[in-house]
Each structure stands twice: as structure tokens, then as C-alpha cells.
Amino acid sequence: MRPAMFSRSVSSASMEEHGFESTTISDVLEAKGKGADGSWLWCTTDDTVYDAVKSMTQHNVGALVVVKPGEQKSIAGIITERDYLRKIIVHGRSSKSTKVGDIMTEENKLITVTPETKVLQAMQLMTDNRIRHIPVINEKEMIGMVSIGDVVRAVVSEHRAELDRLNAYIQGGY
């Protein structure tokens, strides 16, 4: 388990410069800063579920990108805490003998967004599908991952900025 480096391009506009409801996932990735500079934690389909969960715990994250061994640029799927609970614990399976590839959400079933996706659209997608982590894909290459927490922070920031603009307008300071 180790961070994989992937390149990503990000819009230079900040969330505050956009108007209400116009922040994109690219802006969210940019706002995440150095911790989201194109690297994130990953595991392979051949790793044990135990090692994947151990990595999630050590890094205080709820999901890992899954790649095929030797193909760090190609996403094979995602493994989440929910996968562990529902597919290992509930069924009494051993996490030390089960491979990540056996329980992960596979690439063809993944719900993803692009950097241009609006934050409110991503939030709706995550809510409708009851998911907390969503890969950001740019032309078949993964460039990041956002969580529901990242999306909520962006929406709160949008609302705060809009409230500040309205207050300035009301007070004549626009």
C-alpha cells in the first residue's frame, strides 16, 4: 500500500470567484490543496482486504482506489468501509484471506464525475446513489477522489460567499 502519483490539471479559479451554485469538482480538488495534489492512497486487486482496511485506518480515509497490479494508471475499482462491512463482516469471511478484487466495486459499476461536474450535481449523485466517495475521471484517467465531506464543505463555502455578497449589497458596500 503506497500513494500513487497521478497527474491532474486544475482550474485556477477559486470557489469564491464563482457565483452561487457554480463551483466545480475541479475547484474542490484545488481547494483540497497539497493533500490532493494528484496523489491518493491505492491498493491492488491482489492485496488482502485486511491490508486495505489497515491502510484506510492508518490514513483515516473511508475508501481506496483499486488498481490492477502493475497498472497504477488504470483504475480497476474502489473499496470502501461499507464494502468491508457488507461483504466481509456480515458474511463471516476472513479479511486476511480475501482479496480486494473479490469484494471491490468494479470499474464498470463505478459512479464517477469529471472535473467540470458542478458540486451540486455531484452532491445529488452521491445522495441518490448513497455513496460517500466518488472518483474524478478525466478522459479515462483518474485525477482525484472527493468525499461527501469535500462536497458539503464546497456547498457551505458557496452559501457563505453568497451570504457575504448579499450582506454587502444590503449595506451598500458592493
Side-chain angles (χ1 to χ4, degrees):
M1 308 281 169
R2 56 206 168 275
M5 296 302 290
F6 296 86
S7 63
R8 75 176 172 96
S9 59
V10 177
S11 157
S12 61
S14 72
M15 280 188 257
E16 290 76 25
E17 290 171 344
H18 286 293
F20 177 66
E21 298 181 355
S22 65
T23 300
T24 64
I25 292 298
S26 180
D27 299 323
V28 172
L29 289 174
E30 183 177 351
K32 287 175 75 168
K34 295 284 184 190
D37 64 355
S39 64
W40 53 86
L41 297 173
W42 57 274
C43 62
T44 72
T45 54
D46 289 342
D47 289 332
T48 65
V49 172
Y50 177 84
D51 288 336
V53 171
K54 185 176 175 184
S55 180
M56 282 188 255
T57 302
Q58 288 171 340
H59 296 96
N60 196 30
V61 296
L64 296 176
V65 174
V66 182
V67 297
K68 294 177 184 168
E71 296 181 33
Q72 283 77 25
K73 291 270 185 183
S74 178
I75 184 170
I78 187 172
I79 183 170
T80 67
E81 295 164 324
R82 190 176 287 169
D83 291 326
Y84 174 68
L85 288 171
R86 293 182 178 180
K87 298 172 184 174
I88 297 293
I89 299 299
V90 171
H91 294 286
R93 296 170 73 177
S94 168
S95 62
K96 290 188 176 185
S97 62
T98 305
K99 300 291 183 190
V100 168
D102 296 337
I103 70 158
M104 70 179 186
T105 301
E106 294 179 4
E107 189 261 343
N108 62 346
K109 295 179 182 170
L110 270 182
I111 296 167
T112 63
V113 293
T114 67
E116 295 78 29
T117 303
K118 301 287 187 218
V119 168
L120 288 178
Q121 291 171 320
M123 179 182 273
Q124 190 66 54
L125 193 59
M126 295 171 90
T127 302
D128 291 347
N129 291 283
R130 297 177 186 235
I131 57 175
R132 294 176 286 186
H133 304 88
I134 195 162
V136 183
I137 307 290
N138 191 8
E139 296 183 30
K140 292 286 189 184
E141 183 176 82
M142 183 166 165
I143 61 167
M145 173 112 69
V146 294
S147 70
I148 192 69
D150 299 328
V151 171
V152 168
R153 269 188 293 282
V155 170
V156 168
S157 178
E158 276 186 354
H159 287 161
R160 187 176 299 123
E162 180 69 6
L163 189 59
D164 290 346
R165 282 190 292 275
L166 290 171
N167 280 328
Y169 177 75
I170 290 168
Q171 295 172 2
Y174 53 94

